[in-house]
Structures are given as structure tokens and as C-alpha cells.
Amino acid sequence: MKIKKGDLVQILAGKDRGRQGKVERVVLKTQEVVIAGLNQYKKHKKPQGENKPGEIVVIDRPYTVAKVALVCPKCKQQTRIGYKWSEDKKIRVCRKCDAVID
Ligand SMILES: [Zn+2]
């Protein structure tokens, strides 16, 4: 998974295309990311009994990773990720400016 929690990403598809947001959660199993405040949908909850009235809740729907692109914190451009080895550790680098992303 190239995208990590806390990364700034640009949305490539869907109703929030072109906007940027911070990755709030990464779901490895489904290769999805949840971006705080983006791809929001309202969900209507039915009332459940007398004490729980129905309500409308706003949820952030996940994006598949293919629909977001990382924004490099250094050159501020939407970029692809490359990898480099540093003291036996794999680090992510920006393909455009070579900045270390982690
Ligand atoms: Zn860069």
C-alpha cells in the first residue's frame, strides 16, 4: 500500500474530484482510503423504538486507492511514489522532486 494514514492526497474521480484531503483511515483488505470530510453522504437512520428517533448521519465513504493521488509535501504536486533503500529501510520518495515522503 503506497498511501498511508496522514498523507495528503488529491481526489481523481467522483464528486469531489480535484479536491485535496488528509487520509484518515486506510483499509488494507479492500485497498481503500477514507479521506476526512470528502465523499460525504447522508445516511438516513430509521427510528428504533421510542427512545431512538430516526436521524440523518453524515458518513465519509471510502475511495479505492486508484482514485486518489499523493500530493508531495515538498513540491506540492500530485505525484507517484518511488522507493529507495536507506539503511535497510524502505522509504517512499516523490518521483518528481526526489523528496523523502515518510
Ligand atoms: Zn515532490
Side-chain angles (χ1 to χ4, degrees), residues 67-86:
K67 289 183 178 168
V68 302
L70 191 83
V71 175
C72 170
K74 202 183 167 198
C75 65
K76 312 280 180 208
Q77 289 185 76
Q78 154 188 340
T79 187
R80 289 197 296 149
I81 296 162
Y83 288 103
K84 268 185 186 170
W85 288 91
S86 164

